[in-house]
Amino acid sequence: MSDIYRASTTAPVNIAVIKYWGKRDPKLNLPTNSSLSVTLSQDDLRTHTTASCSPSYPQEDTLLLNGSSQDVSGARTQACFRELRALRKQLEDSDSSLPKLSSFPLKIVSENNFPTAAGLASSAAGFAALVRAIANLYELPASPTDLSRIARQGSGSACRSLFGGYVGWEQGSAADGSDSVAFQVAPASHWPNMRAVILVVSAAKKGVSSTTGMQTTVATSSLFASRAAETVPRRMQEMQKAVQEKDFEAFGKVTMMDSNSFHATCLDTYPPIFYLNDVSRAAIKVVEAINTKAGKIVAAYTFDAGPNAVVYYLEENEKEVAGLFKAVLGEKDGWQGERGSKVEAGDAAGVQEEAGVAIDLLKDGVSRVILTSVGEGPVKTEKSLVNEKGEAMA
Amino acid sequence: MSDIYRASTTAPVNIAVIKYWGKRDPKLNLPTNSSLSVTLSQDDLRTHTTASCSPSYPQEDTLLLNGSSQDVSGARTQACFRELRALRKQLEDSDSSLPKLSSFPLKIVSENNFPTAAGLASSAAGFAALVRAIANLYELPASPTDLSRIARQGSGSACRSLFGGYVGWEQGSAADGSDSVAFQVAPASHWPNMRAVILVVSAAKKGVSSTTGMQTTVATSSLFASRAAETVPRRMQEMQKAVQEKDFEAFGKVTMMDSNSFHATCLDTYPPIFYLNDVSRAAIKVVEAINTKAGKIVAAYTFDAGPNAVVYYLEENEKEVAGLFKAVLGEKDGWQGERGSKVEAGDAAGVQEEAGVAIDLLKDGVSRVILTSVGEGPVKTEKSLVNEKGEAMA
């Protein structure tokens, strides 16, 4: 059928090293502080999304993720659809030869290449891919910065997944959010040897959603204001400098301190919010032991709103960092792939003595590892998840 | 032998509801913020100390605690001995008929009535008893306030154990610490129905000593300054008002928030300090479920520098609070005594649904419970731990 329009993209996950926590405007997802993240390689973690529209589709917009139908009636998804349609409408209004895609129902089909059960922040990749795919479908001239403004309304941290490499999100000050956009601090090629090992912690379901949690923090934590007003602005400067200078010790120290600061404000929330558990704390102990053994910071932990540890390190320290985890967690899922099989197991002596109890806790509590690296932003693909007849192929 | 001088006292444990964390002068134990505690009943938790001196004793000062010889050469113990001897010397200098006790070696014998292994802050009761016993021995006219100034130099929180009831510790501003003393907010009789159940968590040894820990917090936590400068001063006012008005909801809310704030600054320390573990967090969840079921705050958790939970409640809510713990932890040590056997087991329904996983964690991780109440300050006793021959009777 010739009236089926389709465009596809992939988009990456990003893991913040300066954390986003707290909205000054919950409707527009405007944050109380700037943040900074590393975009992770789509070889390992990505959302693949096809946006499709047609006058022949049933009237309702739909979204299929990993084969299950998702609710698109929420304000966040609706905001993205509305903004993108408005931009398309402008094009159509200025050029009457263009097909009226903005008036057609949307059919979105998405797939993640990583287990949803892993509890990784998939909404960032998801909304980035959704916005990028629809922008491609509508042939919008919008830049990644423009799209970051839209994706932010879907999920705050999604705005950072519009860029590859090292990415900031400027909190901005405008009431309409027009200046609250993502920007690239440096491309992946600037500091390409950044690696990450993710320790996926087998956990019960997440207790508190991050949207609810962060607003309770803003309302009740007495320490939060100083984090937002003083700590984060200082660290944003330190972190950008560390990235520019490829200074891993500074990058690592600020990463760890900011993760701790974020979880401290969660604990200072009333009632308190706990994302770290005993296994998370064991990962911190093991990272500390790795750094003690190395005599410098070669590994840096960070935790999002959940118990999984993301440990950043440089390729040249792979044996000391990922290799140490392979030595003690070698039987877990995740070492079989191309990246994992290349990792040379490190020497657990020293670390074992320093953090023996912690290593035992990791062995019990980590369900799988994921190895990845810094990577690129969204990539257009010809591989469509909707066939020529307009049917989902997932 | 007639040249053996002896005096004995008991002194209580106190558990802070506004926490002391951070020294502005580590040598004098001068704190960065004021604090406030509840003195616990000596029926349940106390140190019993006899101070003795004699010209016939071997030349060195000695301290026996629960039958084991303790090192008294540390700066803290020495500071207490020195200050008390100086006060005695003043008396001797002004009245030459007095025996020269200040020149005699001290023999101190102490016993705790609670298991040391419980990880309860015993240094507060220990130094309060030591200072009070020597002051009795020396027949010093010193007030509890004067003695609190000396005991503070042994262990900061010990100054609060010189008083019964509800006790503040004014941080003071003088460089010599002269105005950093304890004061009674209200006697135990003002609000006598305050109760506490302590959940003793079986834990590996304490990771970070509080003295080291708090100074690392002061040096590295970016959130700490706002706690000391803004949060605690406000809460000191709120808490004193809550005690004056016997307002348990306000007392409980501030108690829980301040415990969380203190542990948040520990987590914000670099490297982070963790005292709460998964069992501690389970205790928090169960307290939250108890309060949800009651429809108001009837139970308030607080945690010192360790995983044990202290849960305050009022006698009239015993069944809902202590009784709930009895219903789920009834097989643990601690319910057999007079207080424990009087507790009527509560109804775990509702709480079980709200916090079932947490209850299972408590069953696994709590080794014993201790039931107690608000109590009196140090009490002079004729029961001596040193006999007439100057021998320790422990």
Side-chain angles (χ1 to χ4, degrees):
Chain A
M1 290 158 81
S2 63
D3 66 348
I4 304 288
Y5 297 87
R6 299 176 297 161
S8 299
T9 192
T10 60
V13 165
N14 71 76
I15 298 288
V17 290
I18 306 281
K19 300 295 188 190
Y20 157 49
W21 194 254
K23 303 178 203 265
R24 69 174 196 279
D25 182 326
K27 188 155 166 285
L28 291 171
N29 274 347
L30 300 179
T32 49
N33 59 253
S34 297
S35 55
L36 201 150
S37 57
V38 179
T39 294
L40 300 181
S41 172
Q42 296 178 62
D43 293 346
D44 310 298
L45 300 163
R46 57 139 185 76
T47 299
H48 177 188
T49 295
T50 297
S52 161
C53 65
S54 170
S56 65
Y57 284 164
Q59 199 49 44
E60 301 252 300
D61 298 328
T62 58
L63 169 58
L64 202 68
L65 171 62
N66 293 335
S68 1
S69 184
Q70 306 291 309
D71 178 18
V72 296
S73 68
R76 276 116 178 272
T77 309
Q78 286 297 315
C80 293
F81 287 174
R82 185 174 60 243
E83 297 256 354
L84 291 159
R85 280 195 164 107
L87 291 175
R88 171 69 189 181
K89 185 72 165 41
Q90 284 174 20
L91 295 184
E92 293 165 3
D93 288 350
S94 64
D95 178 354
S96 61
S97 73
L98 291 176
K100 302 288 182 285
L101 304 190
S102 68
S103 65
F104 301 163
L106 283 162
K107 179 180 290 189
I108 318 283
V109 181
S110 277
E111 282 184 345
N112 294 332
N113 69 342
F114 52 93
T116 309
L120 292 162
S122 52
S123 66
F127 273 103
L130 177 136
V131 169
R132 183 75 260 183
I134 298 174
N136 293 351
L137 176 73
Y138 288 168
E139 298 182 333
L140 301 179
S143 68
T145 303
D146 296 332
L147 296 183
S148 78
R149 198 181 286 112
I150 299 173
R152 185 201 73 227
Q153 297 175 57
S155 169
S157 56
C159 73
R160 297 187 310 244
S161 277
L162 268 306
F163 291 92
Y166 303 84
V167 184
W169 171 12
E170 175 58 44
Q171 64 184 91
S173 58
D176 68 354
S178 53
D179 57 354
S180 186
V181 295
F183 62 98
Q184 192 174 55
V185 174
S189 58
H190 165 74
W191 203 5
N193 46 334
M194 183 66 73
R195 298 287 177 272
V197 54
I198 304 174
L199 308 180
V200 178
V201 174
S202 16
K205 66 175 164 41
K206 205 155 117 180
V208 176
S209 88
S210 52
T211 294
T212 309
M214 63 174 73
Q215 288 319 88
T216 314
T217 301
V218 173
T220 65
S221 167
S222 73
L223 303 178
F224 177 76
S226 84
R227 166 172 167 78
E230 293 161 34
T231 307
V232 169
R234 186 180 68 243
R235 287 190 183 146
M236 281 297 288
Q237 297 307 313
E238 292 168 355
M239 186 59 89
Q240 287 178 74
K241 185 164 177 279
V243 170
Q244 299 300 355
E245 297 177 355
K246 296 183 262 190
D247 177 350
F248 189 85
E249 291 217 56
F251 172 91
K253 187 169 180 185
V254 176
T255 294
M256 294 187 279
M257 292 183 89
D258 200 70
S259 175
N260 294 333
S261 166
F262 151 50
H263 290 282
T265 64
C266 290
L267 172 48
D268 190 48
T269 301
Y270 183 81
I273 302 169
F274 296 102
Y275 292 119
L276 306 181
N277 63 20
D278 284 355
V279 181
S280 314
R281 283 204 296 282
I284 290 176
K285 283 279 166 235
V286 171
V287 167
E288 288 174 351
I290 288 171
N291 289 335
T292 299
K293 190 178 176 188
K296 61 179 181 176
I297 294 173
V298 296
Y301 56 78
T302 187
F303 298 83
D304 277 355
N308 295 340
V310 176
V311 180
Y312 285 114
Y313 63 95
L314 295 181
E315 188 180 17
E316 51 266 44
N317 297 314
E318 183 158 85
K319 190 175 173 184
E320 291 93 321
V321 185
L324 187 282
F325 288 112
K326 191 172 191 177
V328 300
L329 299 172
E331 79 285 6
K332 303 288 179 186
D333 274 353
W335 298 106
Q336 304 85 354
E338 194 187 336
R339 283 193 198 271
S341 54
K342 279 187 190 155
V343 173
E344 191 181 348
D347 175 11
V351 175
Q352 183 76 51
E353 286 149 39
E354 185 100 352
V357 175
I359 285 176
D360 292 344
L361 273 165
L362 285 190
K363 285 179 178 172
D364 278 356
V366 170
S367 61
R368 62 176 293 132
V369 301
I370 296 170
L371 291 152
T372 186
S373 67
V374 62
E376 305 298 337
V379 178
K380 199 168 188 164
T381 173
E382 293 308 310
K383 197 180 164 213
S384 181
L385 298 174
V386 173
N387 68 16
E388 289 174 2
K389 297 186 207 156
E391 298 162 344
M393 299 171 67
Chain B
M1 290 156 80
S2 61
D3 66 349
I4 305 286
Y5 299 87
R6 300 175 297 162
S8 300
T9 193
T10 60
V13 165
N14 72 76
I15 298 288
V17 290
I18 305 282
K19 301 294 188 189
Y20 157 49
W21 194 252
K23 303 176 202 264
R24 68 175 196 278
D25 183 325
K27 189 157 166 286
L28 291 171
N29 274 348
L30 300 179
T32 49
N33 59 255
S34 297
S35 55
L36 202 151
S37 56
V38 179
T39 293
L40 300 182
S41 171
Q42 297 178 61
D43 294 346
D44 310 297
L45 300 163
R46 58 138 183 77
T47 299
H48 176 187
T49 295
T50 297
S52 161
C53 65
S54 170
S56 65
Y57 284 164
Q59 198 50 44
E60 302 252 298
D61 298 330
T62 59
L63 170 57
L64 202 68
L65 171 62
N66 293 337
S68 355
S69 184
Q70 307 290 308
D71 179 18
V72 296
S73 68
R76 275 114 178 272
T77 310
Q78 286 297 314
C80 293
F81 287 174
R82 186 173 60 245
E83 297 254 356
L84 291 159
R85 279 195 165 108
L87 292 175
R88 171 67 190 183
K89 185 73 165 40
Q90 285 174 19
L91 295 184
E92 293 165 4
D93 288 350
S94 65
D95 179 353
S96 60
S97 72
L98 292 175
K100 302 288 183 287
L101 303 191
S102 68
S103 64
F104 301 163
L106 283 162
K107 179 180 288 187
I108 318 283
V109 181
S110 277
E111 281 184 346
N112 293 332
N113 70 341
F114 53 92
T116 309
L120 292 162
S122 52
S123 66
F127 273 103
L130 178 138
V131 168
R132 182 76 260 182
I134 299 175
N136 292 351
L137 175 73
Y138 288 169
E139 297 182 332
L140 301 179
S143 67
T145 304
D146 296 332
L147 296 183
S148 79
R149 198 181 287 112
I150 298 174
R152 185 202 74 226
Q153 297 176 57
S155 170
S157 56
C159 73
R160 296 187 310 243
S161 277
L162 269 305
F163 290 91
Y166 303 85
V167 184
W169 171 12
E170 174 58 42
Q171 61 183 94
S173 56
D176 67 354
S178 53
D179 57 354
S180 186
V181 294
F183 62 97
Q184 192 173 58
V185 174
S189 59
H190 166 73
W191 203 6
N193 45 334
M194 182 67 72
R195 298 286 177 273
V197 54
I198 304 174
L199 308 180
V200 179
V201 174
S202 18
K205 67 175 166 38
K206 205 155 117 180
V208 175
S209 88
S210 52
T211 294
T212 310
M214 63 174 73
Q215 289 318 91
T216 314
T217 302
V218 173
T220 65
S221 167
S222 73
L223 304 178
F224 177 77
S226 83
R227 165 171 168 78
E230 292 160 37
T231 308
V232 170
R234 186 180 68 244
R235 287 189 183 147
M236 281 295 290
Q237 297 307 313
E238 292 168 355
M239 186 59 89
Q240 288 179 72
K241 184 163 177 280
V243 170
Q244 299 300 354
E245 297 177 356
K246 296 184 263 189
D247 176 352
F248 189 85
E249 291 218 56
F251 171 91
K253 186 169 181 187
V254 176
T255 294
M256 294 187 279
M257 292 185 89
D258 200 71
S259 174
N260 295 333
S261 166
F262 152 51
H263 290 282
T265 64
C266 290
L267 172 49
D268 189 48
T269 300
Y270 184 81
I273 301 169
F274 296 102
Y275 292 119
L276 306 181
N277 63 21
D278 284 355
V279 181
S280 314
R281 284 204 296 282
I284 290 175
K285 283 280 165 232
V286 172
V287 167
E288 288 173 351
I290 288 171
N291 289 334
T292 298
K293 190 177 175 188
K296 61 179 180 173
I297 295 174
V298 295
Y301 56 78
T302 187
F303 298 83
D304 278 354
N308 295 339
V310 176
V311 180
Y312 286 113
Y313 63 95
L314 296 180
E315 187 180 17
E316 52 265 44
N317 298 313
E318 184 158 85
K319 189 176 174 185
E320 291 93 321
V321 186
L324 187 282
F325 288 111
K326 190 173 192 177
V328 299
L329 300 171
E331 80 285 6
K332 304 288 180 185
D333 274 350
W335 298 106
Q336 305 84 356
E338 195 186 335
R339 283 192 197 273
S341 55
K342 278 187 192 156
V343 172
E344 191 182 348
D347 175 11
V351 175
Q352 183 77 48
E353 285 150 41
E354 184 99 352
V357 174
I359 284 175
D360 292 343
L361 273 165
L362 284 190
K363 285 178 178 173
D364 278 354
V366 170
S367 60
R368 61 176 294 133
V369 301
I370 296 170
L371 292 152
T372 185
S373 68
V374 61
E376 305 298 336
V379 178
K380 199 167 188 167
T381 172
E382 293 308 311
K383 196 179 164 213
S384 181
L385 299 173
V386 174
N387 68 16
E388 290 174 2
K389 297 184 206 157
E391 298 162 344
M393 297 171 69

